[in-house]
Amino acid sequence: MKLVYVLSAVLAIIGTARNSLARGETAHYSDELEVEAAAEAKQQVPKSDYVVELDRTMYHEVLKTHDQVFIEFYANWCAACHAMSSEFDAFAKAAHKLYPQVAIARADITKVEYLSSSYMVSMLPELVFIRRPSPGVTPEVRYVSANFTKSDLLDYIGGGWTADKPAGDYTSLWCTPTNLCGHLGGLIGESVVYLDKHFNRFDIPPWAFMAAFVSVLYLVGQVVVGFLSRLLRRNYRARINKKLDDTIQGTASTPSTPKTGSKASSQGSATKRAKNKTSKSD
């Protein structure tokens, strides 16, 4: 049965590699898109003195020092992010005066894959509101449903956030973007991006490349585990056989003690019987 699984995984990997190598035109088109995206990325989204630019370290620092954090996920190649940047900057400036306890932040998903994977960003720009109900409590995470305007966003952080339910509906806070689940998701996302950037030479989509990579790891793991299990069984059997051999040799080398006591007693009883017969004959 294990052999069937291994063969099926190998066939899947071979099929994926053949399909990726056969898509020369698609690869050429993808290269053109990358060049176009790189040209658009040169137009940076304007920075603001009222918006904190997040990286992984700054993100954790802001969560520690603020009970309320408003984050915009963006990318320089995102046309909508450029169009809405002025509105977001005006919102951040007004929020700095009206709600100084709220940290207004921004995260570039192309530079902080950890955050985009933790929050499972699926659209741009993506707005997230983080609120800690009380000290020491896991922060609530809400995906903002308000319109992307200065007034609506101000109303949202002023109390309109109650219209949105927190991620997990607050019944599964053990698995939210701000705790262990989000941390693991961020690490997985970083790993996918790193492997795709440094080892993907076949223009395979990142998810397909990761599936092939995991399949190879599974095959290698099966081989290693099988080898180690056989080695352990062999050593275990060798120890058991050695103990049995030592027991058998010890039993064979032990000298048998002669039963002198029983022979002497039988000879004594025979002598007594002879003396009794002699006395009766007299």
Side-chain angles (χ1 to χ4, degrees), residues 72-260:
E72 178 199 21
F73 290 96
Y74 76 99
N76 289 321
W77 49 260
C78 171
C81 299
H82 283 276
M84 299 178 179
S85 61
S86 59
E87 192 73 20
F88 188 79
D89 292 342
F91 154 71
K93 184 176 181 180
H96 180 73
K97 297 179 180 179
L98 297 176
Y99 306 101
Q101 74 278 10
V102 181
I104 309 299
R106 224 186 228 134
D108 186 349
I109 64 169
T110 61
K111 296 180 180 179
V112 196
E113 294 88 357
Y114 173 83
L115 290 182
S116 60
S117 298
S118 296
Y119 288 86
M120 301 179 66
V121 176
S122 58
M123 58 177 291
L124 292 177
E126 180 83 89
L127 300 178
V128 172
F129 182 63
I130 305 170
R131 176 181 172 274
R132 182 179 286 105
S134 58
V137 177
T138 301
E140 303 172 351
V141 177
R142 288 175 169 83
Y143 293 90
V144 179
S145 61
N147 295 326
F148 206 117
T149 62
K150 172 185 173 181
S151 58
D152 287 341
L153 294 181
L154 287 175
D155 291 340
Y156 190 89
I157 63 176
W161 52 266
T162 55
D164 292 333
K165 293 183 178 180
D169 197 16
Y170 212 79
T171 59
S172 58
L173 279 181
W174 60 272
C175 190
T176 66
T178 55
N179 57 16
L180 180 60
C181 238
H183 179 63
L184 294 178
L187 293 179
I188 293 173
E190 282 184 334
S191 302
V192 171
V193 173
Y194 178 83
L195 293 173
D196 178 67
K197 184 181 297 183
H198 292 83
F199 299 100
N200 188 358
R201 298 294 181 265
F202 306 102
D203 197 47
I204 305 174
W207 61 268
F209 178 76
M210 195 63 182
F213 184 81
V214 171
S215 299
V216 172
L217 286 183
Y218 173 78
L219 293 178
V220 174
Q222 288 290 317
V223 173
V224 172
V225 170
F227 173 77
L228 292 178
S229 61
R230 289 183 180 180
L231 183 63
L232 292 175
R233 285 199 301 266
R234 187 181 302 171
N235 293 337
Y236 177 75
R237 290 174 181 172
R239 289 197 301 268
I240 295 299
N241 292 334
K242 185 178 180 181
K243 288 183 180 180
L244 292 175
D245 293 340
D246 293 342
T247 303
I248 294 173
Q249 291 178 2
T251 304
S253 61
T254 302
S256 57
T257 56
K259 299 180 180 180
T260 55

Side-chain angles (χ1 to χ4, degrees), residues 54-69:
L54 296 180
D55 56 17
R56 186 170 174 178
T57 303
M58 182 60 67
Y59 164 72
H60 291 293
E61 184 66 26
V62 170
L63 281 187
K64 289 180 182 179
T65 56
H66 293 79
D67 290 333
Q68 299 182 55
V69 183

